[in-house]
């Protein structure tokens, strides 16, 4: 009698195993030896071999043996050469993708982690400082004690949680609203189910207690030193916060009427209500000994050299508030505007009704999504986002999804050719021309390439063209003062924020790295403050007397992740009110209880001491 096959059930079970394996790979902790990871991937590839061809069947076994000997400290340069030759042979002669990709994987590791191979061969150990660390703390650019404040939130100690955040980051409220939460990327909870909603819990804390009502940390005794901070954005105010805590006097030069930089003038109200931002700014200024000179532009009201002469040290946190324009014909027509400029005009209160207008946006970053969703709220008839390839949509997935829900339309595989001027209304944009693309091979960074399709270019009518193609810093006045710049007019500063060949001058944030995130700018301000303190001859430590609750063991029961809900798309797109709703008390307790407390269990190595 014929029986039903049981392969379907077996395949389902194997899919479950592979899913759990992928979860473990996703949660691979930072600080671990990369060669161990490649060794694990190689072993997984070996289990996929069908055994029909010799290069894959026998060759991968030899590759695994050679790599293992290097990992164990028994390998030599000859071993590495044999490993490379074996992988090249397999990549060229294996019958199928299993052997080819496995061999290529090891070849890639030899190129990408040459220093690790050298260390294992010459020192019989990993590269110095390669040690397993707490993933969320390591992945946070500011190295905030994430497990600590999550535990405090769980215990209902919201003010203490906010102060623990402010030990590394003086913008707990702003980051609770807009941070890209890189701390969640390697969360070890992914091994069980999904990452902790760290940003959501931070938002819950600042929703319970306002940052400007919490007593600030105690300042050190006055040092008599005076530091100039140019730019009142996240990096500049962070530097001012820590320098003031250390006992130094700070003067902030801000060219606008209000502080906040791109947090105020680049992020729309519906994502970051400005009253929430002001809570952080008030808490910073309440610290004391921070003077702000508003409406002061360097090069117009005071020269950079004057500042250098009057102050003991200078920090340049200029940001990148100037929108880029493409070097092409008709780019200066009416109706063509960089995304950053568009957002700043809206933030400044400029009357901009887009009723009945067709809006086209080129670019797929977070600034582009902000501009697209802002255009929707300004009553645009249609909003289309065009990108050359899917990889160009670099905005957070939640931002893209929210934009789609609000009616923004997306098209990829279209390259931007040129801008058409309206013949009936000269000086105004009337359309863009787009070239269809087809996908090609992946490049060395793992991104797909494209090339022109045989389809003809086509014309797309628009009344407003927004260019989401990046931003730049206004560094002209500083170049005149001798500040060195490199490509794209970025200030030439090292990872310690020290400007090249200019003792006492430091710089960090977007004006050094190019457009990035708020938390990266905050981290730069923190690093700069500690290094300025060292430059002035001190070694201050910012005291934090917050006691973190005892770590209880987690039963590791798979539990759903509590997400921050948003207002209905059809409702929220009609105004600029904040789109996110409040997390409930029950959700906050459940979510904070999911934390595995990797600062005590599983990793146990906290990183990012004061100033690091």
């Amino acid at each position: 009698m014929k029986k039903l096959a049981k392969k379907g059930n077996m395949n389902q079970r194997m899919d479950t195993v592979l899913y759990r394996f992928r979860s473990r790979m996703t949660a691979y902790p930072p600080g671990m030896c990369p060669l161990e990871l490649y060794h694990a991937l190689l072993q997984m590839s070996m289990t996929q071999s069908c055994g029909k061809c010799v290069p894959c069947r026998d060759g991968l076994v030899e590759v695994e043996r050679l790599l293992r000997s290097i990992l164990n400290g028994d390998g030599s340069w000859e071993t590495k050469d044999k490993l490379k030759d074996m992988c090249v042979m397999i990549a060229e002669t294996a019958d199928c993708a299993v052997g080819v990709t496995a061999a290529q994987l090891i070849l890639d590791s030899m190129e990408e982690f040459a220093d690790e191979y050298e260390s294992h061969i010459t020192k019989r150990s990993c590269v110095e400082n390669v040690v397993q660390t707490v993933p969320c703390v390591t992945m946070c650019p500011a190295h905030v004690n994430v497990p600590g404040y999550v535990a405090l939130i769980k215990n209902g100690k919201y003010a203490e949680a906010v102060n623990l955040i402010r030990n590394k980051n003086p913008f707990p409220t702003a980051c609770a609203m807009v941070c890209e939460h890189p701390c969640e990327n390697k969360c070890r909870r992914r091994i069980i189910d999904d990452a902790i909603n760290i940003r959501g819990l931070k938002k819950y804390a600042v929703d319970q207690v306002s940052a400007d009502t919490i007593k600030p940390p105690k300042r050190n005794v006055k040092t008599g030193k005076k530091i100039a901070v140019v730019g009142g954005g996240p990096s500049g105010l962070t530097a001012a916060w820590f320098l003031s805590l250390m006992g130094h006097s700070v003067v902030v030069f801000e060219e606008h009427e209000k502080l906040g930089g791109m947090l105020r003038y680049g992020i729309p109200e519906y994502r970051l209500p400005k009253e929430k931002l002001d809570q952080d700014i008030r808490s910073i200024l309440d610290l004391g000994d921070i003077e702000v000179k508003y409406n002061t532009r360097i090069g117009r009201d005071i020269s950079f050299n004057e500042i250098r002469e009057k102050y003991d040290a200078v920090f340049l946190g200029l940001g990148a508030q100037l929108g880029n324009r493409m070097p092409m014909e008709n780019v200066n027509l009416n109706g063509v505007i960089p995304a950053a400029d568009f957002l700043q005009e809206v933030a400044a209160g400029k009357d901009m009704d887009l009723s009945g207008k067709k809006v086209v946006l080129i670019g797929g970053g977070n600034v582009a999504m902000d501009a697209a969703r802002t255009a929707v709220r300004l009553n645009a008839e249609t909003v289309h986002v065009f990108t050359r390839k899917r990889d160009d949509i670099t905005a957070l997935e939640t931002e893209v999804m929210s934009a789609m829900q609000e009616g923004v339309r997306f098209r990829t595989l279209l390259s931007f050719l040129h801008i058409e001027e309206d013949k009936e209304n000269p000086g105004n944009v009337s359309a863009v021309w787009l070239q269809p693309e087809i996908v090609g091979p992946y490049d060395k960074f793992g991104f797909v390439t494209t090339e022109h399709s045989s389809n003809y270019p086509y014309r797309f009518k628009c009344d407003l063209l927004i260019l989401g193609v990046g931003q730049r810093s206004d560094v002209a006045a500083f170049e005149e003062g001798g500040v060195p710049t490199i490509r794209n007019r970025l200030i030439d500063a090292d990872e310690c924020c020290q400007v090249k060949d200019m003792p006492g001058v430091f710089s960090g944030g977007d004006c050094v790295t190019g457009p990035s995130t708020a938390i990266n700018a905050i981290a730069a301000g923190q690093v700069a403050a500690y290094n300025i303190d060292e430059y002035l001859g001190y070694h201050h430590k910012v005291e934090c007397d917050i006691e973190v609750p005892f770590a209880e063991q987690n039963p590791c029961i798979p539990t759903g992740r509590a997400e921050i809900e948003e207002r209905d798309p059809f409702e929220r797109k009609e105004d600029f009110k904040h789109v996110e709703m409040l997390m409930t008390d029950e959700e906050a307790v459940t979510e904070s209880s999911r934390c595995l407390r990797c600062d005590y269990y599983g990793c146990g190595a906290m990183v990012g001491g004061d100033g690091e």
Side-chain angles (χ1 to χ4, degrees):
M1 182 179 293
K2 190 173 183 179
K3 296 182 179 181
L4 291 173
K6 294 184 178 179
K7 288 185 178 179
N9 181 261
M10 175 62 76
N11 289 338
Q12 289 177 354
R13 289 158 60 193
M14 285 301 299
D15 285 345
T16 302
V17 171
L18 291 173
Y19 171 76
R20 290 172 178 168
F21 183 81
R22 286 196 300 271
S23 297
R24 183 167 288 277
M25 294 305 299
T26 302
Y28 196 78
M32 293 296 288
C33 175
L35 300 193
E36 292 283 4
L37 172 60
Y38 279 98
H39 183 243
L41 293 173
L42 174 62
Q43 289 179 318
M44 180 180 175
S45 298
M46 291 168 63
T47 66
Q48 295 176 294
S49 176
C50 68
K52 290 180 180 178
C53 74
V54 173
C56 183
R57 183 188 67 221
D58 299 336
L60 291 183
V61 173
E62 180 63 12
V63 167
E64 192 275 337
R65 185 189 69 79
L66 293 169
L67 181 56
R68 182 161 27 89
S69 69
I70 293 175
L71 277 168
N72 292 338
D74 301 325
S76 62
W77 291 112
E78 182 182 1
T79 307
K80 184 186 176 187
D81 291 339
K82 287 181 180 179
L83 177 64
K84 182 177 181 180
D85 292 342
M86 181 65 67
C87 289
V88 170
M89 182 274 292
I90 296 172
E92 293 177 349
T93 61
D95 288 346
C96 76
V98 173
V100 172
T101 56
Q104 189 59 54
L105 188 76
I106 303 304
L107 290 173
D108 291 343
S109 76
M110 298 176 79
E111 179 178 346
E112 187 69 29
F113 297 102
D115 57 338
E116 279 289 350
Y117 279 94
E118 180 181 358
S119 183
H120 278 84
I121 291 171
T122 59
K123 299 179 182 179
R124 306 296 189 256
S125 65
C126 298
V127 170
E128 187 178 1
N129 295 327
V130 172
V131 61
Q132 189 174 165
T133 57
V134 181
C136 54
V137 180
T138 303
M139 298 303 292
C140 173
H143 297 315
V144 175
N145 184 352
V146 176
Y149 77 73
V150 169
L152 288 165
I153 292 171
K154 178 184 176 182
N155 287 15
K157 298 181 178 181
Y158 310 121
E160 290 88 340
V162 171
N163 257 341
L164 186 58
I165 295 169
R166 294 198 300 192
N167 186 52
K168 297 290 185 181
N169 172 8
F171 284 94
T173 313
C175 283
M177 306 291 170
V178 302
C179 185
E180 290 192 321
H181 45 83
C183 51
E184 298 180 19
N185 292 345
K186 291 287 185 179
C187 177
R188 275 197 150 182
R189 184 74 199 194
R190 287 175 180 264
I191 299 174
I192 303 169
D193 38 54
D194 202 354
I196 306 296
N197 192 341
I198 297 171
R199 184 182 76 83
L201 287 171
K202 187 186 299 178
K203 181 179 181 298
Y204 175 80
V206 298
D207 283 338
Q208 304 308 305
V209 56
S210 173
D212 56 350
T213 64
I214 301 173
K215 184 180 178 180
K218 184 180 179 180
R219 296 180 63 226
N220 207 313
V221 296
K222 291 189 176 184
T223 63
K225 300 294 184 180
K226 204 167 187 178
I227 295 96
V229 171
V230 180
S235 63
L237 289 180
T238 298
W241 165 267
F242 285 106
L243 289 167
S244 178
L245 281 173
M246 294 169 186
H248 308 303
S249 297
V250 182
V251 177
V252 179
F253 293 87
E254 171 55 50
E255 68 171 313
H256 293 97
E257 294 181 354
K258 295 183 177 181
L259 296 168
M262 289 301 283
L263 290 175
R264 181 178 301 279
Y265 297 104
I267 297 179
E269 183 79 11
Y270 66 84
R271 284 187 63 208
L272 176 58
K274 298 310 171 279
E275 172 53 31
K276 291 290 188 180
L277 172 63
D278 287 336
Q279 292 174 7
D280 284 342
I281 293 175
R282 284 195 292 267
S283 71
I284 293 171
L285 298 182
D286 287 346
L287 191 60
D289 223 355
I290 300 176
E291 178 187 354
V292 182
K293 294 182 180 294
Y294 296 97
N295 299 308
T296 302
R297 183 179 177 84
I298 310 304
R300 181 191 66 191
D301 304 301
I302 186 172
S303 72
F304 173 65
N305 286 329
E306 285 181 79
I307 291 177
R308 285 197 72 188
E309 292 172 1
K310 292 182 179 180
Y311 296 89
D312 298 296
V314 181
F315 174 70
L316 306 178
L318 313 180
Q321 299 187 15
L322 302 179
N324 286 337
R325 289 180 180 268
M326 297 175 175
M328 64 193 315
E329 188 179 2
N330 294 332
V331 75
N332 293 313
L333 290 174
N334 293 326
V336 180
I337 184 171
D341 296 357
F342 172 73
L343 291 171
Q344 289 181 61
E345 289 184 7
V346 174
K350 182 178 179 181
D351 185 22
M352 195 179 294
D353 185 9
L354 300 181
S355 297
K357 294 185 181 294
K358 293 180 171 61
V359 178
V360 166
L361 200 142
I362 305 296
N366 282 319
V367 173
M369 291 307 104
D370 286 343
R373 297 177 69 186
T374 296
V376 169
R377 285 161 173 77
L378 294 174
N379 304 314
E381 180 179 329
T382 60
V383 180
H384 285 80
V385 173
F386 295 124
T387 60
R388 188 183 187 107
K389 51 190 178 180
R390 182 65 180 84
D391 292 336
D392 292 336
I393 302 179
T394 57
L396 287 173
E397 185 177 346
T398 53
E399 287 297 306
V400 176
M401 181 61 68
S402 294
M404 288 181 175
Q405 291 173 346
E406 293 168 4
V408 178
R409 306 172 188 181
F410 289 79
R411 287 282 307 276
T412 60
L413 290 179
L414 290 169
S415 61
F416 181 40
L417 291 181
H418 60 87
I419 304 168
E420 181 181 307
E421 184 177 8
D422 192 336
K423 294 180 181 178
E424 296 182 1
N425 297 291
N428 294 287
V429 64
S430 64
V432 294
W433 283 83
L434 303 162
Q435 170 64 52
E437 300 283 315
I438 58 174
V439 295
Y442 285 89
D443 62 20
K444 65 179 182 178
F445 301 108
F447 296 112
V448 69
T449 60
T450 64
E451 57 186 42
H452 287 348
S453 163
S454 58
N455 291 333
Y456 290 109
Y458 68 89
R459 179 179 183 271
F460 195 92
K461 187 180 183 308
C462 68
D463 304 296
L464 177 66
L465 173 61
I466 302 176
L467 305 174
V469 291
Q471 299 121 253
R472 68 187 190 282
S473 301
D474 185 2
V475 297
F478 301 93
E479 288 179 319
E480 291 176 5
V483 175
T485 57
I486 51 177
R487 66 190 188 288
N488 301 325
R489 308 290 292 278
L490 298 175
I491 293 176
D492 190 0
D494 59 25
E495 59 185 12
C496 296
C497 298
Q498 170 69 60
V499 174
K500 184 178 180 181
D501 300 328
M502 296 196 83
V505 180
F506 297 77
S507 184
D510 291 358
C511 60
V512 173
T513 63
S516 187
T517 60
I519 189 61
N520 282 326
I522 289 166
Q526 179 201 123
V527 169
Y530 279 98
N531 285 314
I532 289 172
D533 187 62
E534 293 279 350
Y535 167 77
L536 295 174
Y538 301 93
H539 189 70
H540 287 114
K541 290 185 180 294
V542 174
E543 299 297 332
C544 181
D545 57 358
I546 305 300
E547 184 178 348
V548 176
F550 178 77
E552 299 176 359
Q553 283 193 315
N554 191 299
C556 298
I557 299 172
T559 308
R561 168 182 158 115
E563 300 288 358
I564 300 178
E565 298 297 324
E566 292 190 346
R567 296 161 55 210
D568 184 275
F570 292 96
E571 174 190 331
R572 70 184 188 234
K573 71 177 185 178
E574 299 296 328
D575 57 49
F576 280 88
K577 294 179 182 177
H578 193 215
V579 297
E580 291 186 331
M581 300 171 68
L582 298 178
M583 184 180 282
T584 67
D585 297 342
E586 295 84 357
E587 287 176 320
V589 171
T590 300
E591 191 62 21
S592 57
S593 298
R594 294 175 64 233
C595 180
L596 299 176
R597 291 302 302 269
C598 296
D599 52 333
Y600 282 87
Y601 306 114
C603 297
M606 292 291 285
V607 301
D610 292 338
E612 293 182 6

